[in-house]
């Protein structure tokens, strides 16, 4: 296989200079950061923009007439407009700021569920979901007397679309599915799944946390009813995230939280609510994080994002090839269409031990069930080690990972 750098016109060394943490050492060795599925690193441009807000512009937003408040409001709402353009949302008001994907899915499940889900209704949830796209729907189902139906997957970690189609019926009120599995890397055919659901008049909530960082997403093209993602996985700050929702649903849904900022008129007799997005944004938001998310989008717009996605895919293929060649290593999740994630086990070695020894070599991976215990149960493993890639990772880092995995095997031989 030819070097990745030769296959794609991508200057990875230039990009790496944008991320200060990548130049540091860990345990006396150069950091190899392969935990991007949990949180990506943050470029200097995002750090600078967030620091500038805190140092020079900090004030509470909306309804302030003084200079700092107006300036902060302008920056915060400009970030919302950047989100709209980045995911090609039809209307900026359909982009709701939240603290991350978990809060966003809870918002959709609670608000949609209490309006539209009733006793005997069914919610379809895929077998490969993160707990954040399982547990909120379980709680709604329990409260409303509804039933969870599971969209099954095969041994490669691919959803069985024929089974999905058979599950849809007049009782189905929601489909919850990941764009990309955080534990397997499977890229699900969400556009086709959404089109099928819409034939039954069923909306779809897409967990986009692992999608948006790795390839361009167009919510109009896939026709998503709800698309939820986090800033901290797409080179932005923690505490930032977005719920995109179609106005036709958001206008009908009740607020998720109540308090300041989301009201129109309050009296002791009755309260009326502000229109979207304010209706779903009670209280003082994470202003610095929101502005930082806007800066992260600026950064992604400044690079060739499609070339970055292609480079990442080639790097994943190379890493898969390297690890699959090591005796005793099993790749968990071998779907035909994958992004970023390489989960694996080593015969006779617990994933936590893998992670610990790799850390001694300066290599950061994630070890555990990855908030996807049903996936672990399906593959009959307690946990996996997960290397997850970004466009700043290199072929040489993959080689270091493979060498370190060999070292793990030698230690436990």
């Amino acid at each position: 296989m030819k070097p990745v750098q030769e296959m794609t016109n991508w200057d990875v060394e230039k990009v790496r200079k944008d991320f200060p943490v990548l130049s540091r050492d860990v345990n006396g060795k150069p950091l190899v950061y392969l935990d991007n599925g949990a949180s990506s690193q943050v470029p200097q441009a995002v750090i600078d923009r967030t620091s500038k807000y805190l140092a020079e512009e900090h004030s509470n937003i909306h309804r302030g007439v003084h200079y700092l408040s107006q300036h902060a409001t302008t920056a915060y709402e400009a970030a919302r407009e950047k989100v709209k353009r980045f995911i090609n949302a039809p209307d900026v008001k359909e982009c709701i700021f939240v603290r991350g994907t978990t809060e966003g899915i809870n918002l959709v499940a609670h608000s949609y569920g209490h309006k539209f889900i009733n006793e005997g209704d069914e919610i379809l949830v895929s077998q490969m979901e993160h707990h954040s796209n399982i547990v909120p729907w379980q709680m709604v189902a329990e409260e409303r007397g509804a039933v969870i139906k599971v969209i099954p997957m095969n041994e490669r970690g691919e959803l069985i679309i024929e089974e999905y189609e058979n599950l849809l019926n007049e009782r189905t009120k929601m489909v919850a599915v990941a764009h990309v599995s955080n534990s397997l890397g499977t890229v699900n055919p969400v556009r086709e799944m959404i089109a099928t659901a819409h034939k039954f008049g069923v909306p779809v909530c897409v967990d986009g946390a692992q999608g948006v960082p790795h390839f361009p997403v167009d919510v109009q093209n896939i026709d998503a009813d709800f698309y939820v993602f986090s800033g901290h996985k797409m080179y932005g700050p923690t505490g930032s995230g977005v719920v995109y929702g179609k106005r036709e649903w958001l206008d009908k849904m009740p607020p998720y939280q109540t308090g300041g900022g989301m009201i129109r008129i309050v009296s002791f007799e009755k309260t009326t609510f502000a229109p979207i997005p304010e209706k779903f944004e009670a209280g003082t938001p994470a202003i610095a994080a929101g502005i930082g998310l806007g800066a992260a989008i600026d950064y992604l717009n400044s690079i060739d994002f499609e070339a970055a996605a292609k480079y990442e895919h080639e790097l994943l293929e190379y890493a898969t090839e390297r690890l699959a060649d090591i005796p005793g290593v099993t790749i968990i999740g071998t779907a035909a269409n994958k992004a970023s994630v390489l989960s694996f086990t080593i015969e006779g070695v617990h994933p936590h031990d893998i992670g610990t020894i790799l850390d001694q070599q300066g290599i950061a991976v994630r070890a555990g069930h990855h908030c996807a215990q049903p996936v672990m149960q399906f593959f009959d493993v307690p946990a996996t080690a997960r290397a997850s890639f970004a466009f700043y990772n290199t072929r040489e880092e993959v080689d270091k990972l493979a060498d370190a995995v060999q070292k793990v095997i030698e230690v436990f031989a």
Side-chain angles (χ1 to χ4, degrees), residues 89-273:
D91 185 348
V92 70
K93 295 183 182 299
E94 295 174 312
C95 300
I96 300 161
F97 278 143
V98 289
R99 290 175 297 170
T101 305
T102 297
E103 183 180 47
I105 295 174
N106 273 273
L107 183 160
V108 175
H110 182 275
S111 185
Y112 174 90
H114 283 78
K115 179 71 174 180
F116 294 106
I117 295 177
N118 297 298
E119 187 171 356
D121 288 339
E122 295 178 356
I123 304 164
L124 305 190
V125 179
S126 100
Q127 194 169 13
M128 64 178 66
E129 295 308 300
H130 188 284
H131 296 163
S132 293
N133 209 19
I134 299 175
V135 180
W137 299 110
Q138 285 180 327
M139 294 187 67
V140 168
E142 184 175 335
E143 292 169 7
R144 307 296 291 176
V147 178
I148 299 289
K149 296 284 187 177
V150 179
I151 307 166
M153 64 181 172
N154 61 28
E155 294 294 333
R156 289 169 59 87
E158 299 164 323
L159 294 181
I160 305 173
I161 299 303
E162 296 81 5
E163 294 292 333
Y164 162 66
E165 293 170 348
N166 291 335
L167 285 169
L168 286 161
N169 61 66
E170 68 279 358
R171 295 185 300 277
T172 310
K173 290 297 184 289
M174 176 62 75
V175 174
V177 63
H179 201 161
V180 178
S181 164
N182 76 298
S183 58
L184 302 171
T186 305
V187 180
N188 287 315
V190 293
R191 187 171 186 267
E192 293 77 8
M193 293 179 73
I194 291 167
T196 303
H198 286 174
K199 292 177 182 177
F200 291 83
V202 177
V204 179
C205 179
V206 181
D207 174 355
Q210 302 290 340
V212 167
H214 299 295
F215 45 75
V217 171
D218 183 331
V219 294
Q220 292 191 70
N221 177 263
I222 65 175
D223 202 20
D225 300 279
F226 302 98
Y227 196 97
V228 190
F229 58 96
S230 300
H232 70 96
K233 297 183 194 296
M234 54 178 290
Y235 314 101
T238 55
S240 62
V242 175
V243 172
Y244 160 77
K246 288 183 177 177
R247 177 184 283 274
E248 64 188 82
W249 293 114
L250 296 177
D251 281 343
K252 298 172 185 174
M253 289 160 51
Y256 171 52
Q257 297 176 320
T258 56
M262 51 73 64
I263 54 84
R264 179 175 281 150
I265 298 173
V266 175
S267 72
F268 284 109
E269 290 70 39
K270 183 177 176 62
T271 294
T272 58
F273 303 120

Side-chain angles (χ1 to χ4, degrees), residues 49 53 57 59-63 68-84 92 95-99 103 239-242 277-278 280-295 297:
R49 182 63 189 96
Y53 163 75
E57 304 165 339
S59 178
N60 215 320
I61 59 172
H62 300 146
R63 299 172 304 283
L68 285 180
S69 178
Q70 292 186 347
H71 203 71
T73 299
T74 298
Y76 188 76
E77 293 303 329
R80 195 190 308 271
E81 182 65 36
K82 293 171 186 177
V83 168
K84 169 195 175 291
V92 70
C95 300
I96 300 161
F97 278 143
V98 289
R99 290 175 297 170
E103 183 180 47
S240 62
V242 175
E278 289 87 357
F280 295 104
E281 296 183 357
T284 298
I287 303 168
I291 292 171
L293 174 58
I297 291 172

